Amino acid sequence: TRRVDIFLENGSYVLQTTKHPKINVTEFLNAYPTAATVPPPAGALIDAAAPAKDRDHVKAQWGLVTLGRAEGCTVWVPVNDRNLSYQRNSFSDCTLSRLPNFGFDENTRRIVQNIDVLWLTKNVICKAFEIEATTSIYSGLLRMNDLVLAQPNIHIELYLVAAQSRRGKVRDQLCRPSFQSLAPKVLSLSFEEVDAQLKRIESLALKDGARVSGLLRGEKFELPEHAVYPTGV
């Protein structure tokens, strides 16, 4: 029942629970046999500064941070992700250090501050992204569903970001009875589309202060009126 925090402190991973001393757990996280360590492929784009996160997740998260800034938005990532970096680009240098006061109740604020990426315009959330790389797609949808239930009149574009190969699994999860009210409100966005738009930004060679709009267009799933809950989900 106690809260558990894991964070970086002076280059070490530290675990702490309420009313207990800090414990350095770095040696346990890194205690893999040398023979099992696979070196990154030549030309790998992921910075080694993100050892605690799935590589695809970090890459997609950085892509969304970059695209949000290109659209002129300020960007938020959860506090525990601000220590990450991609290709030596620190998340903390490009994202908000604290969320504005949106007037949300405490429950809604806790949900919002843990969403993978938020785009804000004039201190108002305009887009929210949940990234699913290796974790269950269910977890990202659950957080969005909690947000919609807590704020049913909220006007935020919701995106579930996953590899194109997992598109069918996204649809299957939306067929769950608990998510069918969320289905019309959430958009599917692929890692491949995020990468394509990043390349587009790079090709434009934007000058400082230049802005590009309409970079991301998610796909809305049209579920049948009586969606059948799939087997094996």
Side-chain angles (χ1 to χ4, degrees):
T1 59
R2 294 189 175 94
R3 174 177 174 175
V4 179
D5 292 309
I6 299 179
F7 51 93
L8 274 175
E9 186 175 272
N10 298 323
S12 297
Y13 286 91
V14 175
L15 180 147
Q16 186 174 31
T17 58
T18 306
K19 298 181 180 179
H20 284 71
K22 297 178 180 178
I23 303 175
N24 188 331
V25 295
T26 305
E27 64 177 297
F28 301 105
L29 295 177
N30 296 328
Y32 294 101
T34 303
T37 302
V38 179
L45 299 177
I46 304 297
D47 189 352
K53 280 284 187 179
D54 174 80
R55 295 189 174 204
D56 289 338
H57 188 286
V58 174
K59 181 180 179 181
Q61 198 169 16
W62 172 251
L64 292 168
V65 169
T66 304
L67 293 174
R69 286 164 55 86
E71 288 218 15
C73 299
T74 51
V75 182
W76 166 265
V77 297
V79 172
N80 290 340
D81 291 350
R82 296 190 72 248
N83 65 305
L84 298 175
S85 64
Y86 175 74
Q87 290 186 310
R88 304 187 184 279
N89 295 298
S90 171
F91 283 24
S92 61
D93 292 341
C94 305
T95 58
L96 293 168
S97 58
R98 63 184 300 275
L99 275 176
N101 183 2
F102 301 117
F104 292 152
D105 58 73
E106 183 60 25
N107 185 50
T108 303
R109 187 173 179 84
R110 288 184 179 182
I111 296 169
V112 166
Q113 69 185 9
N114 286 306
I115 291 176
D116 286 325
V117 180
L118 299 175
W119 289 8
L120 290 77
T121 302
K122 296 180 180 180
N123 288 341
V124 175
I125 302 172
C126 58
K127 297 181 191 294
F129 303 87
E130 278 289 343
I131 302 166
E132 299 298 350
T134 59
T135 56
S136 167
I137 290 170
Y138 176 85
S139 62
L141 290 174
L142 184 61
R143 186 155 27 233
M144 289 183 176
N145 201 48
D146 287 345
L147 176 58
V148 170
L149 291 176
Q151 297 288 327
N153 297 319
I154 203 166
H155 298 290
I156 299 176
E157 291 184 26
L158 306 175
Y159 293 82
L160 196 289
V161 188
Q164 182 64 33
S165 60
R166 305 186 80 192
R167 182 181 181 280
K169 292 184 178 180
V170 174
R171 185 185 183 282
D172 287 348
Q173 291 293 348
L174 287 173
C175 286
R176 288 178 179 268
S178 55
F179 288 149
Q180 287 186 26
S181 60
L182 175 67
K185 301 177 182 178
V186 66
L187 298 169
S188 175
L189 184 67
S190 70
F191 289 165
E192 291 82 356
E193 177 65 13
V194 173
D195 287 343
Q197 294 301 338
L198 277 175
K199 291 177 181 177
R200 177 187 174 197
I201 291 297
E202 293 170 358
S203 68
L204 292 175
L206 298 176
K207 296 181 180 179
D208 291 341
R211 297 290 178 256
V212 178
S213 61
L215 290 171
L216 296 179
R217 301 185 185 279
E219 176 186 2
K220 183 174 289 187
F221 284 97
E222 299 294 337
L223 300 181
E225 183 178 353
H226 300 290
V228 177
Y229 186 75
T231 60
V233 176

